[in-house]
Amino acid sequence: MDESGGSGRPRSDGTDGRRPGAAEGSGHPEPPRPVDTADSAEPAQGGPEGTPGAAGTSGRDSADDTARPQTADETPGPAEEPRQPGDRLTKAPQAAPGKPPHDTHPDYAHASHGPAPKLTPPKDKKGPGGGLLMGRPFGVPVYVAPSWFLVAALITWVFGGQLDRVLPELGAARYLVSLFFAVAFYASVLVHELAHTVAALRFKLPVRRIQLQFFGGVSEIEKESETPGREFILAFVGPLLSLVLSGLFYGAMRLVEPGTVPGVLLAGLMISNLIVAAFNLLPGLPLDGGRMLRAVVWKITGKPMSGTIAAAWVGRALAISVLIGLPLLNQSGALGGENQDIGGMDTVTDALLAAILAAIIWTGAGNSLRMARLRQHLPELRARALTRRAVPVESGTPLSEALRRANDAGARALVVVDTDGDPMSVVREAAIVGVPEHRRPWVTVSGLAQDITEGMRISAELAGEELLDTLRATPATEYLVVEASGEIYGVLSAADVERAFVKAMARPS
């Protein structure tokens, strides 16, 4: 995009209806001699006589930018951040009425910068990352995680040992039968997850994917249920389908001869689905029973966060109970086996299995708390509150002059406009930092700017999850914020949103 065709006369009027302070001297011994660096990707070196070169970076945005300006303590709400040691900030003039609420601004010429946090763009919902794609029932991708193959091998080995006692005539073929059982069992788990998915889609809740993994499956529902009643139904349909499958396998088992391969397979599937249903009905997050408990507490208190806290702590207590109780039950023979001597291999296996299950439940309960805290604090992230004031400048404006105008106006961002005042690009702060102060009179802002694409023009009314989704859809370091009328409101830095997000998550609920 050619941005060097301006009149060469810097604009003093703002396209957002605000006028920056009066211009004064640039503080340099010679008047600026602008050099068009719109196509410069690397700083040019000065000649032997000290001839100034064009410094800056390419006008294209880079995900590898590591420098960022520090956020001063002026931002109200969650965007506030303490200054770091070594940062040098200068007090800028007080904001005029009607400007975005910022009172203190970093001096671009002296600010010290550290690595910038980044908003990670979401993975493609239809792309890789979830494992082996098996299909898209109801339009939802189903992935098999690599950990499933480990579990399938374990089930094949364990169930094959049991078949050797029940059907010794199978010989080595028992492992083929065991593998079939492992696949059929996880097909039942998939039906369980599809029940959650169908219910979510009926409630207009988007489902990102279903993943079959170690110890079960996960339906990734992207939004929370709007009512506790829907939350209860959404959680209950999974165990209900597992119970239905258990009943169907029991009925089919009655139709075949006991002690045969079909009879043993149907009995195993009946018992396994019954165990899946009973385990998921335990009242603790992240299990379905925990979500049902959350819905009940939510209904009673009227507060979804109270339901999450209650179900999460019950889940943690459940994890401890599994860790201690499961090995004891197996050793006592209460689960159908013979009494085991403490110290045997079976005891070690039981303890390991209990530890894995307890870790999964404990971690899932903690993740549920964090996600609930995230949803609670997301509305605090508002584009209007986090936006920086911006000064409009033409493409041929020297960087030193543009920064002087920004500091005089108490602004913290630069927007490159055409001769009609329409915004064309946003000057990247990381690029500004990379230009030494003594070269800034010879570098034009166009060489440090990123063209404004449609995704980089966002509404000042965006907030919460909608704001984050918009920024992730078009990853950039700065965004132009506009009013509903199209008037420029300012520039939003992704680093400011990141810091606000981290600070909001750190506050107690």
Side-chain angles (χ1 to χ4, degrees):
M1 176 176 180
D2 185 7
E3 298 175 354
S4 60
S7 65
R9 177 174 56 84
R11 294 175 58 91
S12 61
D13 58 325
T15 59
D16 55 356
R18 300 188 286 271
R19 183 180 297 275
E24 297 183 8
S26 63
H28 295 275
E30 297 180 4
R33 291 175 291 174
V35 177
D36 188 1
T37 59
D39 297 325
S40 173
E42 298 292 340
Q45 302 299 326
E49 302 299 325
T51 304
T57 60
S58 170
R60 299 290 180 262
D61 178 43
S62 172
D64 296 326
D65 290 337
T66 56
R68 63 164 172 82
Q70 295 290 336
T71 300
D73 297 335
E74 79 285 3
T75 306
E80 197 174 33
E81 183 185 52
R83 296 180 184 177
Q84 302 297 326
D87 289 349
R88 292 178 290 173
L89 305 177
T90 59
K91 186 73 173 181
Q94 293 298 315
K99 294 182 178 180
H102 301 285
D103 297 321
T104 308
H105 310 278
D107 184 344
Y108 290 108
H110 302 292
S112 173
H113 305 283
K118 294 180 176 63
L119 286 171
T120 304
K123 295 178 181 178
D124 185 0
K125 294 180 181 181
K126 298 182 179 181
L132 181 63
L133 179 63
M134 301 302 295
R136 299 180 184 274
F138 306 102
V140 178
V142 176
Y143 292 95
V144 174
S147 60
W148 177 85
F149 295 96
L150 177 62
V151 178
L154 180 62
I155 293 175
T156 301
W157 178 64
V158 173
F159 194 69
Q162 296 177 350
L163 283 178
D164 191 35
R165 292 192 293 268
V166 179
L167 299 171
E169 65 275 11
L170 288 177
R174 66 181 182 274
Y175 291 110
L176 290 176
V177 177
S178 300
L179 179 60
F180 178 83
F181 170 78
V183 173
F185 168 67
Y186 268 88
S188 301
V189 174
L190 177 59
V191 172
H192 177 110
E193 297 303 329
L194 284 174
H196 292 306
T197 296
V198 171
L201 295 177
R202 288 293 300 269
F203 294 145
K204 308 299 182 183
L205 301 176
V207 182
R208 184 187 179 203
R209 65 181 179 182
I210 297 174
Q211 188 181 51
L212 300 179
Q213 52 182 275
F214 197 78
F215 278 112
V218 176
S219 299
E220 297 185 10
I221 302 173
E222 296 185 338
K223 289 187 178 181
E224 189 179 64
S225 299
E226 297 178 355
T227 65
R230 289 186 174 185
E231 175 77 0
F232 189 93
I233 294 173
L234 190 60
F236 180 63
V237 291
L240 177 62
L241 258 292
S242 293
L243 287 173
V244 170
L245 286 176
S246 181
L248 292 176
F249 286 128
Y250 174 77
M253 183 183 67
R254 303 282 294 183
L255 300 178
V256 300
E257 184 179 351
T260 61
V261 171
V264 172
L265 283 175
L266 290 172
L269 291 172
M270 178 201 69
I271 295 173
S272 61
N273 276 274
L274 189 61
I275 292 174
V276 168
F279 182 74
N280 275 278
L281 286 173
L282 294 175
L285 287 173
L287 303 175
D288 294 329
R291 296 178 62 188
M292 294 163 64
L293 174 62
R294 174 182 182 271
V296 171
V297 177
W298 178 5
K299 179 67 174 179
I300 295 174
T301 64
K303 299 177 180 179
M305 189 63 186
S306 298
T308 302
I309 293 174
W313 279 106
V314 172
R316 287 174 170 175
L318 180 63
I320 297 175
S321 300
V322 169
L323 179 63
I324 299 174
L326 185 59
L328 294 178
L329 289 175
N330 280 339
Q331 291 170 13
S332 65
L335 297 181
E338 298 178 356
N339 292 344
Q340 301 174 11
D341 294 331
I342 298 177
M345 180 57 67
D346 290 339
T347 301
V348 175
T349 303
D350 293 340
L352 179 61
L353 176 63
I356 294 174
L357 286 175
I360 292 174
I361 297 173
W362 183 279
T363 303
N367 289 338
S368 298
L369 276 177
R370 282 188 288 273
M371 288 302 298
R373 188 181 297 118
L374 166 63
R375 290 191 176 100
Q376 186 181 46
H377 290 308
L378 269 182
E380 300 173 9
L381 300 179
R382 298 183 301 275
R384 187 175 295 278
L386 296 172
T387 297
R388 303 176 177 185
R389 287 194 301 278
V391 169
V393 293
E394 288 190 345
S395 61
T397 305
L399 179 58
S400 59
E401 170 65 14
L403 295 180
R404 185 193 62 76
R405 294 186 195 178
N407 286 329
D408 286 348
R412 298 174 56 207
L414 300 172
V415 177
V416 179
V417 298
D418 59 19
T419 54
D420 295 327
D422 296 326
M424 299 187 303
S425 56
V426 176
V427 179
R428 296 182 299 134
E429 289 184 299
I432 294 175
V433 175
V435 180
E437 185 177 0
H438 69 277
R439 290 189 176 184
R440 291 176 180 179
W442 323 112
V443 178
T444 57
V445 294
S446 61
L448 310 175
Q450 178 184 7
D451 295 345
I452 298 174
T453 63
E454 186 60 31
M456 291 174 58
R457 189 186 301 263
I458 66 174
S459 170
E461 302 303 325
L462 288 179
E465 190 171 356
E466 185 180 6
L467 172 61
L468 293 183
D469 289 343
T470 301
L471 301 190
R472 286 169 175 161
T474 307
T477 54
E478 284 89 14
Y479 299 83
L480 182 69
V481 182
V482 297
E483 298 281 10
S485 61
E487 181 184 7
I488 296 177
Y489 184 73
V491 171
L492 178 65
S493 170
D496 289 346
V497 179
E498 184 82 11
R499 285 189 290 269
F501 176 81
V502 171
K503 186 165 185 177
M505 287 295 293
R507 288 201 303 274
S509 300

